[in-house]
Amino acid sequence: MKTTSNMKKYLSKFSMVILLLVISVACRKDNVTLMPDELAELKSFYARNMPTAKSIFKNTSPNWSKISSVKPDDLTVYEITLNNPDRVGLMSNTSKTKDLDKFEQTHALKLLLFVNEQGKVEKGCYMLIEASTAAELINVHYKRAGNLNGNVVYYNLNGAMSNGVAYVNGKAKRRISYLSESEIMAIKRGDDSRMTQGCSMFYIETGYMGCIYDYCTWYSTGYVGFPICGNGGGQHPENDVEEGFEGGISNYSESTVSAALIKEIKVDTTVRPCVDIIASIVISKAAQIQNVLSDMLTLANVNASASITTMANSSTYKIKIGEHLFNDLTKYNADGSSSLIRTNGITNDTTGYIYLNKLMINDGTDLAIAATLIHELMHSYMVYGIHHTSGVEKDIFRDMNTFLFDQSGTAFTNQGIPQHIQMANTYVDSMASLLTSYAISRGILVSPDSSISLNEYCKDIFWQNLQHSQAYFAAPNKSRSMNNGEREYKNTFNSTKKKKC
């Protein structure tokens, strides 16, 4: 009798499991086929709410042949796979891998559209997923986390962060909130005033992976996170965590992040608009690279970006970027031949003001203009370090820039040669990393010189900039750098081409 009773209990539990599985399958449908009018409604809604040029999702596009659906409540949620060429995703501070294959196996981006019973789309959002393993990622759907050990963050269609959830074994454990750039930097430095003893901050970066051949770099575009205190619990108890997209407008917007980036580096109002655009992107990318810190980029790749960001954040050193006509000069060679030398830009050795040559802007590609601007910004930074620092900051600057000072620690009177030698010895790699980041943001993904990577191509441009200085002796490939530099500065048929300037 006991055996029969136990068998009934087991059969009852087994039946319940089967029932739950059936219900689960009924609530979630993979690769659904929609009626033409249903699909048209989804496409129409998306067309009206496509990401703008400022959104991190700007280059994504829906794959309308890969749609699944869930129905967690009175709305049907359609999950559309997104083509994601920029590899927009999440990177938590526990993630150490920057391997592209691993990233794609454990990260996903979906477009969610919420449809009511009348067949109309009421709202939409982006769902970014970061999983520990590829197996976990397969089973993650809206409000259906499977056995996920990772994070799900939702973004409004305008690019603003809405909310997010951290999961442990498929259970929602903590609420993820937006963190400002200043907050996350305070956390990284360890001086965040909100953190009491025994507490730490778990932060996640939203961003994208830029890869050229085997060269991959993670570019951060914002931060989200939550505090962890004592035994590992967050500020939000488990039963307070809301699973899923809330909608509405959050306190995050792209303008709040980018508005403060330029600060004390101003583009003169008389300069043509395209230079203003290029300068804004360069300075913005410098701040992003500098904020990534050494676990993602070596110091050699950050130096120039950190220098430019230092000037942008200074309250005492205010520089302007203008344009001016500098005529070409004739150089006479020993053999009696002659050639023209062009000055691409000049930086005032006292104020740090930058003047770009109108001829260079007229003739060069946008990439050449960006490279010139980075080159001149490094001159301006050296002026800043020599004339506008004191105490510990001056000591650090001297240690970083030994070629600018004599043995007594006094800056050389004529800084033309020393500053170029300093760039050649310390900054070329990081200047190229910044220019590569700029190039990728403008859709330049491949080197016009097929024999080298885009990053090497950008290095060549900077070596070409040093061509008429003693520092050029250190160039690893003089003839190649001269040819590749001329591609951009003369906008030849095989350059990256002029775009806006």
Side-chain angles (χ1 to χ4, degrees):
M1 292 294 292
K2 288 184 179 179
T3 301
T4 303
S5 176
N6 287 337
M7 283 295 293
K8 287 182 179 179
K9 289 181 181 178
Y10 293 145
L11 287 171
S12 176
K13 290 180 179 179
F14 181 74
S15 300
M16 183 61 70
V17 170
I18 295 297
L19 178 60
L20 290 172
L21 286 173
V22 170
I23 293 172
S24 176
V25 171
C27 292
R28 177 174 61 82
K29 297 179 181 179
D30 296 328
N31 297 322
V32 298
T33 301
L34 299 177
M35 298 296 291
D37 58 334
E38 294 174 321
L39 184 58
E41 168 67 14
L42 300 185
K43 290 182 175 181
S44 175
F45 181 87
Y46 178 76
R48 297 193 304 271
N49 295 276
M50 289 179 64
T52 66
K54 292 184 177 181
S55 171
I56 61 171
F57 306 106
K58 61 185 177 183
N59 292 326
T60 63
S61 60
N63 185 341
W64 298 107
S65 65
K66 292 185 178 180
I67 304 177
S68 60
S69 68
V70 292
K71 190 172 175 57
D73 43 44
D74 57 337
L75 294 176
T76 299
V77 183
Y78 289 100
E79 300 180 356
I80 299 96
T81 300
L82 283 167
N83 299 315
N84 187 13
D86 293 337
R87 300 173 182 87
V88 176
L90 305 173
M91 188 70 74
S92 67
N93 60 338
T94 58
S95 300
K96 297 301 180 185
T97 178
K98 302 299 169 291
D99 180 75
L100 177 59
D101 294 334
K102 180 76 175 288
F103 181 88
E104 291 185 329
Q105 290 170 10
T106 55
H107 293 73
L109 169 61
K110 298 180 181 181
L111 170 68
L112 306 187
L113 299 178
F114 298 75
V115 179
N116 61 27
E117 293 180 353
Q118 288 72 45
K120 298 296 182 183
V121 180
E122 289 193 359
K123 58 184 177 179
C125 71
Y126 296 100
M127 181 170 70
L128 288 174
I129 308 167
E130 180 186 45
S132 297
T133 66
E136 292 176 2
L137 193 63
I138 296 173
N139 297 316
V140 179
H141 297 273
Y142 182 70
K143 292 192 177 183
R144 301 285 189 273
N147 60 340
L148 176 65
N149 288 285
N151 308 290
V152 177
V153 179
Y154 298 95
Y155 281 77
N156 293 296
L157 294 180
N158 66 359
M161 186 263 182
S162 173
N163 61 91
V165 181
Y167 290 90
V168 178
N169 295 324
K171 300 292 185 182
K173 289 294 183 181
R174 298 181 185 91
R175 182 67 163 274
I176 297 174
S177 303
Y178 165 70
L179 296 172
S180 69
E181 207 162 310
S182 59
E183 286 175 318
I184 199 67
M185 291 311 295
I187 291 161
K188 288 183 176 182
R189 291 193 303 265
D191 59 1
D192 180 27
S193 60
R194 298 172 306 154
M195 295 293 100
T196 58
Q197 187 174 5
C199 294
S200 61
M201 177 63 75
F202 182 92
Y203 63 86
I204 305 164
E205 294 178 348
T206 305
Y208 58 95
M209 186 85 73
C211 293
I212 305 299
Y213 299 112
D214 294 330
Y215 176 81
C216 293
T217 302
W218 173 260
Y219 298 95
S220 175
T221 57
Y223 302 93
V224 293
F226 53 84
I228 301 175
C229 302
N231 61 5
Q235 285 186 338
H236 302 279
E238 182 176 344
N239 58 4
D240 286 342
V241 177
E242 291 289 337
E243 298 182 66
F245 172 64
E246 291 178 350
I249 302 301
S250 70
N251 64 342
Y252 171 85
S253 69
E254 188 158 336
S255 61
T256 61
V257 174
S258 61
L261 290 179
I262 282 191
K263 290 186 177 178
E264 306 307 339
I265 302 177
K266 304 292 184 184
V267 178
D268 192 271
T269 56
T270 61
V271 177
R272 63 195 80 180
C274 62
V275 174
D276 197 354
I277 294 170
I278 292 171
S280 297
I281 296 173
V282 166
I283 297 165
S284 173
K285 291 299 177 186
Q288 291 174 13
I289 293 174
Q290 192 264 340
N291 287 347
V292 172
L293 301 181
S294 59
D295 64 333
M296 295 184 185
L297 292 172
T298 64
L299 184 61
N301 284 330
V302 176
N303 282 335
S305 295
S307 301
I308 293 170
T309 305
T310 296
M311 292 190 295
N313 291 329
S314 172
S315 60
T316 58
Y317 187 64
K318 302 179 180 182
I319 64 174
K320 287 185 179 180
I321 299 168
E323 61 176 276
H324 186 78
L325 176 62
F326 300 104
N327 291 318
D328 294 342
L329 300 176
T330 302
K331 176 186 178 183
Y332 295 96
N333 304 314
D335 61 1
S337 63
S338 64
S339 58
L340 292 177
I341 297 178
R342 173 166 293 177
T343 299
N344 293 324
I346 287 180
T347 298
N348 185 287
D349 60 7
T350 302
T351 64
Y353 283 19
I354 294 168
Y355 301 94
L356 302 179
N357 191 348
K358 290 179 181 287
L359 297 179
M360 182 277 298
I361 300 173
N362 292 341
D363 294 347
T365 65
D366 287 18
L367 194 66
I369 297 168
T372 303
L373 185 60
I374 293 169
H375 179 101
E376 298 305 325
L377 282 168
M378 291 312 302
H379 278 303
S380 187
Y381 173 69
M382 291 173 188
V383 172
Y384 165 79
I386 292 170
H387 298 295
H388 301 275
T389 59
S390 60
V392 175
E393 186 181 14
K394 193 172 189 71
D395 292 339
I396 293 173
F397 178 83
R398 283 175 176 166
D399 290 342
M400 282 279 294
N401 300 278
T402 56
F403 292 98
L404 308 184
F405 302 89
D406 63 21
Q407 290 183 342
S408 69
T410 303
F412 292 112
T413 302
N414 186 343
Q415 282 286 318
I417 293 175
Q419 289 187 14
H420 282 152
I421 293 176
Q422 190 70 63
M423 286 187 203
N425 281 271
T426 307
Y427 294 104
V428 167
D429 286 354
S430 55
M431 291 161 73
S433 293
L434 177 54
L435 187 60
T436 301
S437 178
Y438 167 85
I440 292 172
S441 74
R442 302 304 293 272
I444 302 168
L445 306 179
V446 178
S447 165
D449 181 346
S450 59
S451 69
I452 56 176
S453 68
L454 179 61
N455 187 252
E456 288 297 321
Y457 185 76
C458 290
K459 286 183 187 179
D460 279 356
I461 296 173
F462 286 111
W463 282 118
Q464 196 268 355
N465 274 337
L466 297 171
Q467 183 181 345
H468 301 293
S469 72
Q470 290 181 336
Y472 191 59
F473 291 117
N477 192 319
K478 295 181 179 62
S479 61
R480 190 190 71 196
S481 63
M482 183 175 66
N483 291 335
N484 284 335
E486 287 187 352
R487 287 187 201 229
E488 299 302 318
Y489 282 99
K490 293 183 179 179
N491 188 25
T492 60
F493 73 95
N494 54 356
S495 71
T496 60
K497 308 301 180 188
K498 290 185 75 69
K499 296 183 183 299
K500 299 297 182 183
C501 260

